[in-house]
Amino acid sequence: MAELKLSESRDLTRIERIGAHSHIRGLGLDSTLEPRDVSEGMVGQTSARKAAGVILQMIKDGKIAGRAVLIAGQPGTGKTAIAMGMAKSLGLETPFAMIAGSELFSLEMSKTEALTQAFRKAIGVRIKEENEVIEGEVVEVQIDRPSASGAASKSGKMTLKTTEMETVYDLGAKMIEALGKEKVSSGDVIAIDKASGKITKLGRSFSRSRDFDAMGPQVKFVQCPDGELQKRKEVVHCVTLHEIDVINSRTQGFLALFTGDTGEIRAEVREQIDTKVAEWREEGKAEIVPGVLFIDEVHMLDIECFSFLNRALENEMSPILVVATNRGITTIRGTNYKSPHGIPIDLLDRLLIISTQPYTEDEIRKILDIRSQEEDVEMSDGAKHLLTKIGVETSLRYAIHLITAAALACQKRKAKVVDLEDINRVYHLFLDVKRSTQYLMEYQNQYMFSEMGEADEDDINAMVS
């Protein structure tokens, strides 16, 4: 008998691109906020992760507004990874807005407007609504189609039941069309929103589970609803203040959310929205969900932005602000003064500072293991050991970049496991910062505009060493 070969099928809807932090699933803390050694893609940085866990708990409680946190450390010590871990741990309910410091400098809108929009993206509003819903199991659907073309539109009847009652509803043309779109048949449990007429298919009734011998994996079985057919249900919508701003700022505001062309939003519009949200809060219709605004490369902001942040953090509607930087004592942008991390002292005084430490050799090895797994690269122990040594001597980022390059070199020689020779080959193909700087020093006279003073030479020698 001939062997049956099944063609490989790929799920086209899944995005399979691997990002720099796609392996991060959370902060890797247990229930007592103690960091695990290796968990949820996080390795090392135990004190920084523990501190981030405490901040996370503060955000989840939602009682404290206007707190700011600075994650400071050398390049490649996992600052953005900790912020990503916080975002994943918070879940979808809590807004998390992420921007880079340089994003604010745009020709389209002012810096303060860009910061205001970023702040309002990080503040969620949970709006509660009570809707009347008809919920039951479909017993029968009868549709009377007109015999002659051009005659009156089709009509029909639908019988719905719960465990206690059964009712027949007359159907109009729109309802028949909606039932056809949802592919509703007898035995389905459906919910109809009385206000909008929207039909939602909840699943198949358990009593009809034996109707067919085989069913697809997407078929969900549910109990037949009990009680009355008509019920009042509370529906919760989660939106951000920025989304409400955009929708109310122009006639086609809803489309602007998708195009990203929001433009500057007038202060009067925001004031009206804040007043309305405050009314909803008093009536119990809505509640504020303070989220997180993460600004990476915060040293790129200028003195005007820092002054705005000082004032914005005092507002009771402000989110938790998390900023990150890899700078030491440097000039505050827009001034001639130097300050730690390039942030003014008055703002630094408001920040809780989390420090990240350089990774140890053992931690680098574990991170490379996780990245190899994420990038689906099989590597021998010798190759991993060599890559770890490269990571210690050069940088972790350079070592991570070599993983996929080595995998491609391995494919070229038609092997399945990345070995020492593949790592060696890509190491000589792609230079790290130190080797590139040495090359420049040797051949600087052959480059254009290669004027270098003694002070510059001392800086470069320090970089190489």
Side-chain angles (χ1 to χ4, degrees):
M1 189 178 169
E3 193 178 328
L4 183 68
K5 285 190 179 179
L6 293 172
S7 61
E8 285 184 21
S9 63
R10 288 185 69 194
D11 186 4
L12 295 176
T13 56
R14 184 167 165 250
I15 298 170
E16 291 184 347
R17 285 178 69 84
I18 295 160
H21 298 103
S22 56
H23 62 287
I24 305 291
R25 310 274 182 268
L27 282 172
L29 305 173
D30 61 19
S31 55
T32 59
L33 298 182
E34 284 297 323
R36 300 186 194 97
D37 191 31
V38 180
S39 178
E40 295 180 328
M42 297 294 280
V43 177
Q45 303 296 355
T46 50
S47 60
R49 278 159 56 202
K50 192 172 181 178
V54 174
I55 301 294
L56 202 67
Q57 202 59 46
M58 192 166 76
I59 297 160
K60 284 179 180 173
D61 292 344
K63 291 175 184 171
I64 302 168
R67 292 297 166 93
V69 180
L70 168 66
I71 305 173
Q74 300 97 311
T77 52
K79 296 180 296 296
T80 311
I82 287 170
M84 293 292 287
M86 286 174 77
K88 292 280 168 67
S89 301
L90 282 169
L92 298 171
E93 285 288 295
T94 309
F96 189 97
M98 204 171 203
I99 60 166
S102 51
E103 278 181 48
L104 303 174
F105 299 92
S106 159
L107 295 173
E108 289 178 11
M109 63 177 82
S110 66
K111 292 173 282 190
T112 50
E113 173 64 21
L115 267 175
T116 306
Q117 288 195 13
F119 261 75
R120 289 176 80 85
K121 277 178 191 171
I123 303 165
V125 184
R126 202 177 277 129
I127 303 164
K128 296 169 190 167
E129 272 186 332
E130 271 205 350
N131 289 358
E132 283 210 356
V133 178
I134 300 167
E135 197 174 277
E137 181 188 330
V138 179
V139 178
E140 191 183 12
V141 182
Q142 288 180 332
I143 297 167
D144 305 322
R145 288 178 173 80
S147 53
S149 58
S153 59
K154 54 190 175 184
S155 60
K157 289 181 179 181
M158 178 171 65
T159 311
L160 284 179
K161 71 163 187 179
T162 64
T163 52
E164 293 175 20
M165 62 185 291
E166 189 172 306
T167 311
V168 178
Y169 291 94
D170 289 325
L171 301 173
K174 280 191 176 177
M175 283 300 287
I176 290 168
E177 192 183 329
L179 286 167
K181 271 186 185 172
E182 288 292 323
K183 297 187 173 73
V184 173
S185 60
S186 60
D188 289 339
V189 177
I190 62 168
I192 305 168
D193 188 338
K194 278 190 82 174
S196 62
K198 187 187 172 196
I199 295 171
T200 311
K201 205 165 162 183
L202 304 175
R204 292 275 306 166
S205 173
F206 273 115
S207 59
R208 300 296 192 100
S209 59
R210 298 186 180 276
D211 280 12
F212 305 102
D213 292 333
M215 286 185 191
Q218 70 277 10
V219 178
K220 183 179 159 192
F221 288 103
V222 292
Q223 292 284 1
C224 178
D226 53 0
E228 296 274 326
L229 269 164
Q230 288 194 34
K231 294 169 186 167
R232 290 185 76 81
K233 276 203 166 182
E234 192 178 75
V235 183
V236 179
H237 307 282
C238 289
V239 289
T240 64
L241 280 178
H242 176 67
E243 286 166 354
I244 303 172
D245 292 345
V246 173
I247 289 166
N248 288 281
S249 65
R250 53 177 78 185
T251 48
Q252 294 292 324
F254 189 70
L255 295 173
L257 280 175
F258 296 100
T259 57
D261 179 28
T262 55
E264 293 218 7
I265 297 163
R266 294 194 317 276
E268 303 88 66
V269 174
R270 289 202 174 109
E271 280 171 23
Q272 287 170 5
I273 287 162
D274 287 348
T275 310
K276 194 71 185 168
V277 169
E279 278 176 31
W280 288 345
R281 282 174 74 186
E282 283 175 21
E283 292 167 14
K285 285 183 182 175
E287 59 180 283
I288 295 292
V289 185
V292 180
L293 172 61
F294 176 62
I295 304 177
D296 208 353
E297 309 292 338
V298 74
H299 53 264
M300 291 300 293
L301 303 187
D302 62 10
I303 193 72
E304 293 167 31
C305 294
F306 288 127
S307 301
F308 178 86
L309 285 179
N310 261 328
R311 177 69 192 88
L313 286 171
E314 289 171 359
N315 192 336
E316 62 171 23
M317 293 270 273
S318 72
I320 302 286
L321 178 69
V322 180
V323 297
T325 180
N326 55 20
R327 298 294 163 97
I329 295 167
T330 185
T331 308
I332 302 165
R333 197 170 172 183
T335 71
N336 296 322
Y337 298 102
K338 288 195 172 184
S339 176
H341 313 296
I343 301 169
I345 298 293
D346 59 339
L347 181 59
L348 266 176
D349 197 33
R350 292 175 187 267
L351 301 173
L352 292 168
I353 302 172
I354 299 172
S355 179
T356 56
Q357 306 300 323
Y359 290 109
T360 64
E361 188 172 335
D362 188 43
E363 286 166 354
I364 288 173
R365 171 66 185 255
K366 286 171 184 172
I367 292 166
L368 291 171
D369 281 342
I370 291 167
R371 286 303 300 178
S372 299
Q373 200 175 344
E374 180 72 12
E375 294 176 29
D376 205 14
V377 174
E378 210 174 321
M379 203 176 284
S380 69
D381 287 339
K384 279 182 185 174
H385 183 70
L386 177 59
L387 204 57
T388 307
K389 288 286 180 196
I390 291 169
V392 171
E393 287 172 18
T394 58
S395 72
L396 175 61
R397 283 176 180 157
Y398 175 70
I400 288 170
H401 288 324
L402 292 185
I403 294 172
T404 305
L408 292 170
C410 175
Q411 277 179 22
K412 189 83 176 169
R413 62 183 184 87
K414 295 180 180 170
K416 289 186 178 177
V417 179
V418 173
D419 217 334
L420 288 165
E421 60 181 290
D422 302 310
I423 302 289
N424 193 33
R425 187 178 179 192
V426 293
Y427 179 74
H428 287 99
L429 279 174
F430 304 104
L431 301 180
D432 59 272
V433 178
K434 284 182 184 175
R435 285 184 294 154
S436 179
T437 310
Q438 279 176 337
Y439 181 84
L440 279 175
M441 286 180 74
E442 283 175 32
Y443 298 100
Q444 61 173 314
N445 297 328
Q446 295 174 28
Y447 282 82
M448 290 180 69
F449 311 119
S450 60
E451 294 175 17
M452 191 169 70
E454 285 182 22
D456 296 331
E457 203 166 330
D458 290 343
D459 289 344
I460 289 173
N461 285 328
M463 256 177 92
V464 172
S465 59

